[in-house]
Amino acid sequence: MRTRARTLAGATALAMLAAACQQQDPAAIDDPEPTEDETGADDMSPPPDTIEQTTLVLMTHDSFDVDEEVLAAFTDESGIGVDLAPAGDAGATVNQAILTRDAPLGDVLFGVDNTFLSRALEADLFVAYESPELEQVDEQFVLDDEHRVTPVTRGDVCLNYDRAWFEENDVPLPDDLADLTDEAYAGRLAVMNPATSSPGLAFLLATVERFGEDGYLDFWEALVDNDVLVTDGWSEAYYDEFSATGEGDRPLVVSYASSPPAEVYYADPPPDEAPTGVIEASCFRQVEFAGILQGTEHEAEARLLIDFLIGPEFQEQLPLTMFVFPVRTDASLPEVFETHAVLPDDPLELAPETIGEGRDAWIEAWTSTVLR
Amino acid sequence: MDRGLDEHGPAVTLRERAARWLPFTVPALFLAVFFVLPAGTIVLTGLRPEGRLDLGTLPRVLSDPGTLRVAWFTLWQAAASTALTLVLGLPGAYALTRLRFRGRAALRAAVMVPFVLPTVVVGSAFLALLGPRSPVNAASVALLGEAAPTLDLRRTVTAILLAHVFFNYAVVVRSVGGLWEHLDPRLEDAARTLGASRWRVFREVSWPLLRPAVASSAAIVFLFTFTSFGVVLILGGPGRATIEVEIYRATVQLLNLPLASVLALLQLAAVTAALVAYGRLQRRVTRQPLRSAGSTARPPRTVGERLFLAVNLAVIVLLVLAPLLVLVERSLAVDGGYGFAHYRALFSDQRSTVLAVAPLEAIRNSVVFGLAAALVALVVGGCAATAASRPGRAGRVLDRALMLPLGTSAATVGFGFLLALARPPLDLRGSLLLVPAAQALIATPFVVRTLLPVLRSIDQRLRDAAATLGATPRRVWREVDLPIVGRAVLAAVGFSFAIAVGEFGATVFLARGQTPTMPVAIFRLLGRPGVANFGQAMAMSTILMFVTASAVAVLDRLRVGQVGRF
């Protein structure tokens, strides 16, 4: 005997199919997808725009995050609600914004970095705005004189190393990128494909800066001979190949300057010393910007959101939500960053215009040299 | 023949005519709005870089040896993956539907789990199983000593093929098995009684009846693997690329839309050719009486049957369950031992950030989106299957057209949504409707494939008899078709739910930040350094597995009316 309840549940599902296909009243079913309204869309739909509150859409990359209380305080104070629209990685976000320029998906974009900045500026994505809060921002990060974009975070891409492995095997740490071609580091390094990974691209740019446009491909050829491993994305390299954090057997990996404090922060109990360290000579500077998107109907509110992004509250919560560093000079760092983070004073760096001119060709040449 | 089916009365009213065309119009509209319009918009944008049609890129890209190499690799790896999946999946389909053994229901639900898992998680499990530290190598060292050869399949084509079997095994098992369990075993028994060997019975009795379902699942597996993205990148290594990978790079990374458009057209041409070939295989359909599922299975009787079952179970354990177990094991691994710390951390709301992933909320979002998508897919696919089961060409064409999205790049569709559905009257920017719509696009072909063979096999005489006795078309459908397709409908719902829950490529483009689904939540956790994040991503994956398996198991147990009693 089958239970009545089962029969009923099954029959309900079938009734919906029957209703749509066989119903005699076409008007009721002309809609290609008649079911959404009945499937709990009620409790998922975004809050309706009320008269007294504007809701801005902030286009970001997937890694964006913010402390709930800090954001709520901004909304309370300004009356501006913020709806987040993550759009893929940094490159994908910028490209989406460019493609949808005529009918923008948001009011403000956060997450364009110095490696993609020139593409965004050339596409004329942003409305210029010079925030009064910029006075407190370290001016070396202000890379656009017209203030079409405002610097918000700094996070360098650096080689990370497995402390335990280097101690146990008594191998000296590389102190220059050129050392990586030594036999001592054969089969020890994992990097990412610059065509598919943003830290991978930053590391390629670091080698372009260090060895010059004439020399970087020779360096990469030597790395290939030294059995460098290329993965598609950061998480495969970091969790599957890096010896300090997963089951991998490579003690050197491309990651971030903020990864060692993250290893401490997310460990239970937190160790006295981070299991990983940073090779300072390999660091490439990454600055992330925000800008007001052309076509927004809420420019005044968007300006307030930009002020908020470089305001002290937002800046000070950056390290523990996005694991990047603030650009504000007066922002204090959390203790775990004070103790375990290394931030080189003078990392490798390329001007956004230089990157814009060379990027695609360098990736293409890299692909031909390393992958084929 | 059977034209009379539609001509059920002399006075055809407008309402009746509308009702007759509805099975065509609903799927056709859905496809037009959510596939043809978005994909067409983005391809045309790419072909008109300066506002004028410029086909200069076309010959340049198509004559590039790099493009040809990628196209060839895409084609042969898809063909090889499909063949391997069929070779392993067909016996599996028989074992899981015609043989009765303990744990069968659980296994049938478990093979659906791979669908929902994000590639990055599966890739990680495969790297562990195929690398030098795998249990296989540990076993061979234990047996042969240190001199044992080390098996390292990371970044090989073999790894890609095995992962494709992992992901697509359920397609074959469930769509072929779904028909197999309804075949009348008396046909086979009769052939056996007349002295035919088992092989001959299969070849001459079962195979002709199963062929449409085999062709269907082969077509789906081919399209899925033809557009493989994450598996190829993670397991094949960055040196290998499919057309899909190149489209993604051109669209998302290089913003080279002319290149992306030409590649998308190349992909479309190949997929259309595959669908035409598949259409030829489908042309001859044998109708046969179907039996209820419960009555066709029996326990294995002979030694040979037990051995057959054992081999199939071994395949399932090694290829489908082992990678899943790796994830479960990792979710429990804590500091040298095992425990539930990662699960506790997931559920204790320690991170008060906006996008902090509260697992219950992510589960709820996944289930709600999944159900919405499954219902959309059921309506669209149910109508399409009804249309395609009728005589005439239009239904068949519609059926093939609905499979095109499976063979189309997620980047093309995802970016196309953003471009095409952003203006009145179709301004769906930021709308949550986009998520189930995109998911249903992928799930609909499964509904059609699951329902169509069953609908087609319904004996037209039953319908005619009912009509002669005065039943309206609606009543004929309810009393004749519905009880027979009942099981298949539930299977289709389970299938599309699983596909929707696992869909990531489009969801990640379209979902708003505050409504993360489970795959999105896993992806976010894996994007951060820290042991706890990795462990929690694995815990979340394990929860996702159980949610899916339970949902499928519940659907499997539902019964509709008195199925099979006719």
Side-chain angles (χ1 to χ4, degrees):
Chain A
M1 271 294 281
R2 325 227 185 283
T3 67
R4 198 167 271 273
R6 280 179 183 175
T7 311
L8 206 69
T12 314
L14 285 176
M16 311 206 57
L17 174 65
C21 271
Q22 301 294 318
Q23 216 176 54
Q24 301 282 316
D25 178 9
I29 16 176
D30 212 11
D31 185 340
E33 15 160 359
T35 51
E36 265 96 7
D37 291 340
E38 302 131 42
T39 52
D42 309 20
D43 54 346
M44 298 195 311
S45 46
D49 278 21
T50 47
I51 302 151
E52 66 272 19
Q53 184 178 309
T54 314
T55 298
L56 293 179
V57 176
L58 177 60
M59 266 187 99
T60 69
H61 53 58
D62 292 327
S63 315
F64 179 85
D65 207 349
V66 51
D67 189 301
E68 240 168 36
E69 285 178 17
V70 171
L71 188 64
F74 169 70
T75 302
D76 286 347
E77 213 170 283
S78 61
I80 298 170
V82 180
D83 213 356
L84 298 176
D89 65 16
T93 309
V94 174
N95 289 355
Q96 273 191 31
I98 293 175
L99 279 177
T100 56
R101 194 178 166 279
D102 297 333
L105 299 172
D107 303 288
V108 172
L109 183 144
F110 166 80
V112 55
D113 66 14
N114 47 326
T115 63
F116 282 102
L117 182 59
S118 64
R119 184 184 283 172
L121 294 183
E122 271 166 32
D124 194 19
L125 272 188
F126 303 111
V127 184
Y129 169 57
E130 185 174 359
S131 167
E133 299 281 349
L134 272 176
E135 279 180 19
Q136 299 297 325
V137 170
D138 191 339
E139 63 182 18
Q140 61 171 322
F141 302 124
V142 181
L143 297 181
D144 179 40
D145 299 336
E146 295 172 43
H147 301 292
R148 289 166 293 183
V149 289
T150 306
V152 178
T153 79
R154 173 199 180 180
D156 291 2
V157 170
C158 307
L159 287 183
N160 281 21
Y161 66 91
D162 177 357
R163 274 184 206 282
W165 188 92
F166 277 91
E167 271 161 35
E168 277 163 29
N169 293 280
D170 203 20
V171 173
L173 287 173
D175 47 26
D176 178 15
L177 285 178
D179 292 349
L180 295 171
T181 57
D182 284 357
E183 205 172 316
Y185 307 110
R188 302 297 176 210
L189 172 65
V191 303
M192 300 111 216
N193 185 349
T196 49
S197 152
S198 134
L201 175 59
F203 187 66
L204 169 63
L205 296 175
T207 65
V208 172
E209 167 63 3
R210 167 66 185 78
F211 301 103
E213 277 205 68
D214 301 328
Y216 78 103
L217 286 176
D218 294 335
F219 169 75
W220 277 100
E221 260 171 34
L223 271 191
V224 171
D225 291 341
N226 217 18
D227 191 22
V228 66
L229 176 80
V230 183
T231 69
D232 165 50
W234 173 85
S235 63
E236 290 104 84
Y238 195 77
Y239 286 122
D240 296 321
E241 306 296 346
F242 187 36
S243 57
T245 51
E247 299 178 12
D249 50 10
R250 295 187 177 244
L252 285 167
V253 70
V254 172
S255 192
Y256 296 91
S258 59
S259 304
E263 287 297 336
V264 175
Y265 185 71
Y266 286 121
D268 184 30
D272 296 335
E273 188 187 43
T276 59
V278 159
I279 312 274
E280 285 191 55
S282 68
C283 293
F284 185 81
R285 172 167 292 169
Q286 218 171 26
V287 182
E288 289 179 305
F289 304 88
I292 301 171
L293 285 165
Q294 294 273 12
T296 175
E297 287 163 13
H298 307 289
E299 197 178 330
E301 291 88 348
R303 291 178 165 209
L304 290 176
L305 183 57
I306 297 281
D307 294 347
F308 165 69
L309 291 177
I310 51 174
E313 293 82 12
F314 185 83
Q315 287 282 308
E316 290 198 348
Q317 56 88 51
L318 277 175
L320 292 181
T321 54
M322 279 195 265
F323 280 83
V324 286
F325 296 83
V327 291
R328 240 182 122 92
T329 46
D330 61 353
S332 60
L333 285 173
E335 199 194 328
V336 68
F337 269 67
E338 291 285 3
T339 321
H340 301 283
V342 175
L343 198 55
D345 298 327
D346 191 19
L348 296 163
E349 201 175 357
L350 280 171
E353 306 81 59
T354 318
I355 299 175
E357 281 157 23
R359 183 187 50 232
D360 294 353
W362 295 331
I363 293 177
E364 197 52 46
W366 180 93
T367 306
S368 312
T369 308
V370 176
L371 298 184
R372 292 190 181 133
Chain B
M1 56 172 263
D2 294 342
R3 277 279 166 198
L5 149 79
D6 288 338
E7 314 290 333
H8 54 81
V12 182
T13 66
L14 191 66
R15 274 161 57 124
E16 280 167 326
R17 197 172 300 163
R20 198 179 311 147
W21 279 100
L22 204 65
F24 291 94
T25 43
V26 168
L29 260 178
F30 177 78
L31 195 67
V33 172
F34 292 109
F35 178 69
V36 178
L37 180 67
T41 305
I42 190 127
V43 168
L44 280 180
T45 311
L47 293 178
R48 289 186 307 197
E50 312 292 334
R52 276 178 301 113
L53 198 62
D54 174 11
L55 296 177
T57 333
L58 205 68
R60 206 162 50 243
V61 175
L62 294 184
S63 61
D64 175 16
T67 310
L68 297 179
R69 200 173 47 225
V70 167
W72 171 240
F73 175 71
T74 309
L75 194 64
W76 82 256
Q77 67 79 22
S81 299
T82 309
L84 189 62
T85 311
L86 283 180
V87 165
L88 295 170
L90 286 178
Y94 184 87
L96 284 178
T97 54
R98 297 299 287 271
L99 296 177
R100 194 174 291 154
F101 55 92
R102 271 182 32 184
R104 186 173 77 136
L107 271 190
R108 281 166 65 151
V111 296
M112 290 290 280
V113 168
F115 264 125
V116 303
L117 291 176
T119 345
V120 56
V121 174
V122 172
S124 177
F126 266 83
L127 287 175
L129 285 173
L130 300 175
R133 298 187 195 185
S134 69
V136 182
N137 285 320
S140 78
V141 168
L143 275 174
L144 305 169
E146 288 299 321
T150 308
L151 187 71
D152 187 358
L153 292 174
R154 295 176 302 170
R155 285 166 281 279
T156 60
V157 177
T158 313
I160 296 178
L161 298 188
L162 291 178
H164 281 163
V165 174
F166 170 82
F167 275 114
N168 294 302
Y169 188 77
V171 175
V172 177
V173 166
R174 298 204 58 118
S175 51
V176 177
L179 187 59
W180 216 332
E181 69 183 341
H182 288 287
L183 291 189
D184 194 335
R186 284 173 302 187
L187 281 175
E188 296 161 24
D189 293 345
R192 289 282 285 159
T193 317
L194 294 172
S197 68
R198 269 174 202 287
W199 172 241
R200 196 160 163 213
V201 169
F202 173 75
R203 209 180 56 212
E204 296 185 6
V205 178
S206 312
W207 176 254
L209 298 173
L210 289 173
R211 213 181 53 180
V214 175
S216 287
S217 49
I220 287 185
V221 176
F222 181 83
L223 294 184
F224 259 144
T225 52
F226 189 80
T227 54
S228 186
F229 177 71
V231 166
V232 173
L233 282 177
I234 297 171
L235 294 173
R240 288 197 178 81
T242 52
I243 300 177
E244 176 84 14
V245 171
E246 295 296 333
I247 292 177
Y248 177 84
R249 276 183 198 154
T251 315
V252 177
Q253 300 292 331
L254 300 173
L255 198 61
N256 184 344
L257 283 191
L259 174 61
S261 293
V262 172
L263 290 170
L265 287 177
L266 179 66
Q267 198 180 41
L268 182 71
V271 166
T272 308
L275 286 175
V276 167
Y278 151 73
R280 285 177 196 267
L281 280 176
Q282 281 284 72
R283 198 158 290 167
R284 276 187 50 238
V285 178
T286 319
R287 285 168 198 233
Q288 75 268 10
L290 294 185
R291 303 264 297 159
S292 80
S295 65
T296 60
R298 53 176 176 71
R301 281 192 290 247
T302 62
V303 177
E305 281 182 348
R306 287 201 193 95
L307 194 65
F308 173 81
L309 180 61
V311 169
N312 276 294
L313 292 181
V315 168
I316 295 176
V317 167
L318 282 177
L319 271 175
V320 181
L321 298 187
L324 303 180
L325 289 176
V326 168
L327 301 178
V328 177
E329 193 257 351
R330 288 178 172 184
S331 75
L332 294 169
V334 198
D335 218 16
Y338 290 102
F340 288 94
H342 296 312
Y343 292 87
R344 276 198 300 274
L346 263 187
F347 283 91
S348 69
D349 194 22
Q350 48 175 304
R351 280 179 231 168
S352 55
T353 65
V354 169
L355 298 188
V357 179
L360 288 177
E361 199 186 310
I363 291 170
R364 194 202 64 168
N365 290 339
S366 273
V367 169
V368 171
F369 278 135
L371 284 177
L375 285 173
V376 175
L378 185 61
V379 169
V380 175
C383 289
T386 307
S389 70
R390 291 180 185 172
R393 216 178 133 73
R396 285 208 310 270
V397 172
L398 179 70
D399 169 30
R400 310 274 188 284
L402 279 171
M403 287 177 80
L404 281 175
L406 282 187
T408 307
S409 164
T412 309
V413 176
F415 268 61
F417 264 50
L418 299 175
L419 269 186
L421 305 178
R423 282 188 193 84
L426 271 171
D427 186 358
L428 297 176
R429 280 177 293 170
S431 164
L432 286 170
L433 296 185
L434 288 179
V435 177
Q439 293 173 341
L441 207 52
I442 308 296
T444 299
F446 287 84
V447 176
V448 182
R449 301 270 69 76
T450 315
L451 295 185
L452 191 54
V454 183
L455 278 179
R456 272 198 181 132
S457 63
I458 294 173
D459 194 335
Q460 184 57 37
R461 284 169 303 183
L462 283 173
R463 293 193 189 115
D464 292 345
T468 314
L469 294 171
T472 61
R474 193 172 172 181
R475 178 131 187 245
V476 170
W477 195 85
R478 198 176 64 223
E479 307 258 334
V480 178
D481 296 40
L482 184 63
I484 301 178
V485 299
R487 288 277 316 182
V489 165
L490 289 174
V493 170
F495 235 137
S496 34
F497 175 77
I499 286 164
V501 168
E503 210 289 330
F504 183 68
T507 310
V508 78
F509 277 124
L510 305 170
R512 276 290 152 91
Q514 284 92 334
T515 48
T517 59
M518 276 192 278
V520 171
I522 292 166
F523 188 72
R524 273 190 200 148
L525 284 165
L526 270 184
R528 300 186 153 183
V531 183
N533 288 316
F534 183 77
Q536 287 174 33
M538 296 299 134
M540 193 64 131
S541 305
T542 307
I543 295 173
L544 177 56
M545 284 185 227
F546 280 105
V547 168
T548 314
S550 322
V552 173
V554 167
L555 282 169
D556 277 350
R557 295 186 78 89
L558 288 173
R559 294 289 184 273
V560 186
Q562 297 287 314
V563 175
R565 274 190 45 191
F566 48 85

